[in-house]
Amino acid sequence: MLPYSGKEALHQLAVLFVSYTAVGLPFTDMVGGLTAYANDQHVKQEMDQLRDLSTKLVAAVTNDKENIDKNEQLFLNFIVGNLALVTAGAPDKIENHKIFEENIDRLLSLF
């Protein structure tokens, strides 16, 4: 995420999460692995770092600082919802990718 900042960093984070699931590890396997290895110190450390990244990125672009937690939850729910759609076999069309990226920006405009 280093070359990006602000809302563009969050946009890229969402795209990378969902695209990795489409071509890499399926979401159900990801969740299963996180559940199975939740007590592993290395897994916990990586998850904490990922959570810290999303918190810092959301905080940086949130206008009303009282909404940081709400905005982070909304952003993460948006990603998880799209991951579930990809895992469930949502049609892989160019139009869907375009709409997904437009929706990221629509969501971030609320912050």
Side-chain angles (χ1 to χ4, degrees), residues 1-2 4-11 13 45-63 65 67-69 71-73 75-76 108 111:
M1 300 313 305
L2 289 177
Y4 305 103
S5 63
K7 291 183 180 182
E8 182 60 23
L10 286 167
H11 180 106
L13 182 63
Q45 182 179 5
E46 291 299 319
M47 290 304 299
D48 288 346
Q49 288 178 353
L50 186 58
R51 185 61 185 250
D52 288 344
L53 174 63
S54 67
T55 300
K56 287 176 187 173
L57 291 173
V58 169
V61 300
T62 297
N63 293 320
K65 298 306 177 192
N67 288 330
I68 291 172
D69 291 339
N71 288 348
E72 183 183 19
Q73 188 67 43
F75 180 71
L76 295 175
L108 295 175
F111 293 7

Side-chain angles (χ1 to χ4, degrees), residues 34-46:
L34 290 174
T35 302
Y37 297 102
N39 294 324
D40 181 278
Q41 188 59 34
H42 296 292
V43 172
K44 184 176 179 341
Q45 182 179 5
E46 291 299 319

Side-chain angles (χ1 to χ4, degrees), residues 2 9 11 13 16 39 52 55 66 82 86 96 105 110:
L2 289 177
H11 180 106
L13 182 63
L16 291 172
N39 294 324
D52 288 344
T55 300
E66 291 184 20
N82 279 281
V86 168
N96 289 351
D105 295 334
L110 300 173

Side-chain angles (χ1 to χ4, degrees), residues 75-106:
F75 180 71
L76 295 175
N77 286 345
F78 173 80
I79 291 174
V80 169
N82 279 281
L83 289 172
L85 287 172
V86 168
T87 300
D92 187 25
K93 299 184 211 172
I94 298 294
E95 305 88 52
N96 289 351
H97 294 286
K98 184 176 183 268
I99 292 169
F100 169 65
E101 290 207 38
E102 289 172 354
N103 282 339
I104 296 169
D105 295 334
R106 290 176 55 216

